[in-house]
Amino acid sequence: MYRILKKTTLSEQVKLMVIEAPLIAKKARPGQFIILRTNEQGERIPLTIADYDAQAGTVTIIFQEVGKTTIQLGKLEEGESLVDFVGPLGKPSHFEESVKKAAVIGGGLGTAIAYPQAKYLHALGIKVTSIIGFRTKDLIILEDEVGAVSDKLLVMTDDGSNGNKGFVTDALKSQIEAGEQFDLVIAIGPLIMMKFVSKLTKEYGIKTIVSMNPIMIDGTGMCGGCRVTVGGKTLFACVDGPDFDGHEVDYDEAMRRQNMYKKQEESSCNLFKGVDN
Ligand code: FAD
Ligand code: FES
Ligand code: MG
C-alpha cells in the first residue's frame, strides 16, 4: 500500500499529492511516470512523476480531475493509501548539453506534465520561457508554480478572458520573431496543439520534443494500447517515450486512435457521476 503523506489543492480541479513510495523514489528520473490504481476494482491510470525525494522515499504527483479515476483519487485524504503505484515507467528526459535556452509549452491539462519539465530545465541552469494556454481564465492552472521555475512566463487564453488572447503557437511565434533564440522547444498538451507547435518550430528549424499521452493500460510495451508512429516506425509511448521528436510524430494517426475510444469515454462519463468505487 502506498500512503498519501500530503495533499494540496492547487486549484479547484488540480491536486498535488506526496506519496510514500521509497523504491520508486530511489530510481525515478525526470520525465518518467507511474501507473496507479486507487482501489482493487479500479482502473490503471498513468501520471507523470512531478517530483521525487530519494532520501525521504516520496514521489509527488499533480493531477487534474477530469474523469472517474482522477475524481476518486482527489477524494482520498492524507493517511489513506493507494493499492497500486507502479514505476518508474518510461524513458527519462534527456537534454543535450548545448541547450542554453528552451521554451516549454503547456496546453490545458498538459501544463501539469510540462511543469516538472520546466523545473528540471531550470535546475540545470537552462533559461526557460514557459508559455501556457487555456480555453478561458477559469481553467488556468499552476500559474505560480510554472512562473517560479521560468525566466519568462506567458499565459494565454483562447477567449482573451485573462487579457492575453491567443493560442500558445501565436505567443511562441511572437517570441521567436522578437529575436528569442530557443535551442529547444518542449510542447505538452492536446495533440492538435503539439501538431501545430511542431509545424511552427519545423519552419524555424528548432528541435522540438513532445510528450505523447495515448491511452495506457499495462505500461510495459505488451498490450500495444499506447502505440504511436514516429519517423515511420511503430513505437510504444510507455516504453519508448512518452517524449518523442515532435517533427517525426504522426499526429493525424494519433488523433484517429484517440477518437476510437470516444464512445467508451462517454459511457464512463455517466459512471463517475455519483459512483464511488
Ligand atoms: P476518463 O474520463 O477515463 O478519461 C479522460 C481522458 O483521459 C480521456 O479522454 C483520455 O484522453 C485520458 N485517459 C483516460 N484513461 C487513460 C489511460 N488509462 N491512459 C492514458 N490516458 C487516459 N494527467 C494529469 O493530470 N497529470 C499528469 O501528470 C499526467 N501525466 C500523464 C502521463 C502520461 C504518460 C499519460 C499517458 C497521461 C498522463 N495524464 C496526466 C493523463 C491522465 O492519465 C488522464 O487524465 C487520466 O487517465 C484520466 O482518467 P479518468 O478516469 O479520471 O478520466
Ligand atoms: Fe500497453 Fe504501452 S501501455 S504497450
Ligand atoms: Mg477513466
Side-chain angles (χ1 to χ4, degrees):
M1 298 288 261
Y2 300 87
R3 208 147 49 97
I4 301 164
L5 300 178
K6 189 176 156 206
K7 176 184 177 186
T8 314
T9 299
L10 300 179
S11 73
E12 204 186 327
Q13 286 178 342
V14 181
K15 301 207 163 95
L16 174 154
M17 282 182 180
V18 178
I19 312 289
E20 188 175 45
L23 294 179
I24 300 178
K26 223 184 206 170
K27 288 193 172 165
R29 293 287 169 270
Q32 293 187 294
F33 65 95
I34 53 89
I35 288 188
L36 62 75
R37 273 194 314 159
T38 55
N39 60 59
E40 290 289 348
Q41 288 77 40
E43 64 176 350
R44 298 156 59 85
I45 63 156
L47 294 175
T48 301
I49 296 176
D51 212 345
Y52 55 89
D53 184 333
Q55 271 198 326
T58 59
V59 170
T60 302
I61 49 173
I62 297 175
F63 60 94
Q64 183 163 23
E65 296 174 2
V66 291
K68 184 179 173 190
T69 305
T70 46
I71 289 174
Q72 278 175 352
L73 181 61
K75 284 187 181 148
L76 297 177
E77 298 299 339
E78 289 177 6
E80 293 190 272
S81 297
L82 305 170
V83 288
D84 280 340
F85 197 75
V86 179
L89 301 168
K91 287 205 167 135
S93 301
H94 171 73
F95 306 117
E96 307 292 331
E97 277 180 20
S98 56
V99 175
K100 302 280 179 261
K101 202 177 224 186
V104 177
I105 320 287
L109 165 65
T111 304
I113 307 172
Y115 164 59
Q117 298 275 15
K119 191 172 169 191
Y120 180 44
L121 288 165
H122 186 71
L124 291 175
I126 294 167
K127 288 246 176 286
V128 176
T129 294
S130 293
I131 304 172
I132 55 179
F134 304 88
R135 268 188 287 124
T136 187
K137 190 171 99 203
D138 296 340
L139 298 177
I140 296 175
I141 53 168
L142 298 170
E143 184 173 1
D144 294 343
E145 288 79 2
V146 175
V149 296
S150 307
D151 297 274
K152 189 189 276 185
L153 170 67
L154 299 166
V155 185
M156 311 299 294
T157 45
D158 297 357
D159 65 359
S161 50
N162 73 333
N164 227 1
K165 186 173 164 63
F167 294 131
V168 291
T169 35
D170 300 326
L172 178 62
K173 190 167 189 201
S174 319
Q175 291 296 305
I176 297 170
E177 289 188 346
E180 290 281 12
Q181 293 197 330
F182 299 117
D183 311 304
L184 174 70
V185 170
I186 296 179
I188 307 176
L191 287 166
I192 192 80
M193 181 208 97
M194 296 195 287
K195 175 179 171 170
F196 282 102
V197 168
S198 300
K199 190 166 176 276
L200 177 71
T201 55
K202 199 167 183 180
E203 284 167 26
Y204 291 96
I206 307 171
K207 185 179 167 58
T208 298
I209 295 172
V210 295
S211 186
M212 296 298 283
N213 48 9
I215 298 282
M216 290 190 183
I217 303 153
D218 64 335
T220 63
M222 305 276 283
C223 74
C226 69
R227 72 175 179 276
V228 286
T229 303
V230 183
K233 283 196 206 134
T234 298
L235 298 177
F236 299 113
C238 67
V239 287
D240 300 313
D243 294 352
F244 293 105
D245 181 338
H247 298 153
E248 298 285 337
V249 171
D250 183 339
Y251 297 100
D252 295 335
E253 181 199 60
M255 284 187 256
R256 279 197 302 276
R257 281 184 55 75
Q258 201 175 46
N259 285 336
M260 277 167 51
Y261 304 105
K262 270 251 147 40
K263 225 181 164 68
Q264 286 86 337
E265 281 159 18
E266 275 162 18
S267 55
S268 81
C269 275
N270 293 327
L271 272 179
F272 69 74
K273 290 176 193 149
V275 177
D276 266 346
N277 71 347

